Amino acid sequence: MINFADKAIAYYNSLAAPTNLPPDIGVMNPYQEPVVQHLVSEFYSRFFHDNRPRIFVLGINPGRFGAGVTGISFTTPQNLRRYCGIDNNLPDTPELSSRFIYQVVEAFGGATAFYGRFFLTSLFPLALTKSGKNYNFYDDRMTTEALWPAITETVRTQINFGYDRRVAVCLGRKNETYLRRLNDQQHFFDRIVTLDHPRYILQYKTKVVPVYLEHYISTLYDCLE
């Protein structure tokens, strides 16, 4: 029987970059690299080799130092090794979002416990860049509208991996605007709860990170009820 892992692996390793973006917007597609294809297969086979529905936790689009390198949402090479037990020879990369997310993963009980209930993903699955820096799909209207069909298809395809439609967790207050727009159009989820984006927390709220961490954990547990 085809399970969550099988569907996710096939999806990610077949991703192609869009060709309709404004000329100054770049796209990183690590899934073309054999080493990333191997890591994606190992990650999903380890943590998603079943048909249990997951609660979706949706970011914006990957950063160039997280999934833009490893192919695993919010996961740098070093966190893939340290917290997921998946060895790799990719160089360590700086990524604030990944650092906070794996504090959440550890506080929840570790990777096996966390990924057994949640699926980390993004509205658009590939990292975007502009002038060599991270770029968000909503940073300009032309990019948003160019990617909207792909965003819709991303979520539509991924919920077929196996999802708990009762609730989705949105990462980022501005991201919420677009997830709610999508959900109003497609009715994928019964409700949406929103948390401040991990990058925002570590960039602007470092003195109160424990407060945000506690709020994340309590929100995730509430979603399971």
Side-chain angles (χ1 to χ4, degrees):
M1 180 182 295
I2 296 176
N3 59 36
F4 194 115
D6 298 326
K7 296 173 186 176
I9 292 166
Y11 169 75
Y12 283 113
N13 289 341
S14 66
L15 279 176
T19 59
N20 63 335
L21 289 173
D24 57 341
I25 306 300
V27 183
M28 296 175 66
N29 185 1
Y31 303 101
Q32 296 177 329
E33 301 297 328
V35 63
V36 173
Q37 292 176 2
H38 174 77
L39 293 176
V40 166
S41 295
E42 186 169 354
F43 176 84
Y44 284 99
S45 295
R46 177 173 298 198
F47 297 113
F48 293 85
H49 193 64
D50 56 61
N51 284 302
R52 182 188 306 151
R54 264 67 171 189
I55 290 172
F56 276 41
V57 182
L58 298 118
I60 306 161
N61 48 262
R64 69 192 193 281
F65 293 136
V69 174
T70 64
I72 310 298
S73 292
F74 292 96
T75 305
T76 57
Q78 62 268 35
N79 286 343
L80 191 59
R81 290 191 295 267
R82 179 178 179 182
Y83 297 105
C84 301
I86 296 177
D87 195 25
N88 64 86
N89 293 319
L90 296 173
D92 293 352
T93 54
E95 173 59 72
L96 291 178
S97 295
S98 182
R99 190 189 311 170
F100 182 80
I101 283 293
Y102 276 92
Q103 291 183 49
V104 174
V105 169
E106 284 296 282
F108 192 82
T112 298
F114 180 84
Y115 289 118
R117 305 304 299 271
F118 298 98
F119 172 51
L120 281 174
T121 186
S122 300
L123 289 185
F124 183 68
L126 299 176
L128 302 175
T129 62
K130 184 176 182 178
S131 302
K133 297 181 179 180
N134 286 338
Y135 200 69
N136 298 321
F137 74 80
Y138 55 56
D139 284 343
D140 74 84
R141 183 182 292 256
M142 286 183 62
T143 299
T144 304
E145 295 310 312
L147 289 179
W148 197 252
I151 288 169
T152 304
E153 192 58 29
T154 292
V155 179
R156 186 191 310 280
T157 301
Q158 291 187 345
I159 63 176
N160 288 326
F161 298 170
Y163 83 125
D164 185 336
R165 71 164 296 138
R166 295 175 301 165
V167 61
V169 180
C170 177
L171 301 184
R173 300 294 170 180
K174 189 169 182 179
N175 194 36
E176 179 184 15
T177 299
Y178 296 90
L179 179 53
R180 290 196 181 278
R181 170 183 162 187
L182 178 67
N183 205 49
D184 286 345
Q185 293 172 350
Q186 304 296 331
H187 309 290
F188 290 139
F189 308 102
D190 293 343
R191 66 187 179 98
I192 294 166
V193 298
T194 302
L195 294 165
D196 286 311
H197 197 278
R199 183 177 61 250
Y200 165 81
I201 295 169
L202 286 193
Q203 190 168 354
Y204 299 109
K205 300 292 182 179
T206 54
K207 293 182 179 179
V208 288
V209 165
V211 175
Y212 280 95
L213 182 58
E214 183 177 350
H215 181 57
Y216 257 69
I217 295 299
S218 64
T219 300
L220 295 179
Y221 276 115
D222 285 346
C223 290
L224 295 174
E225 295 181 354

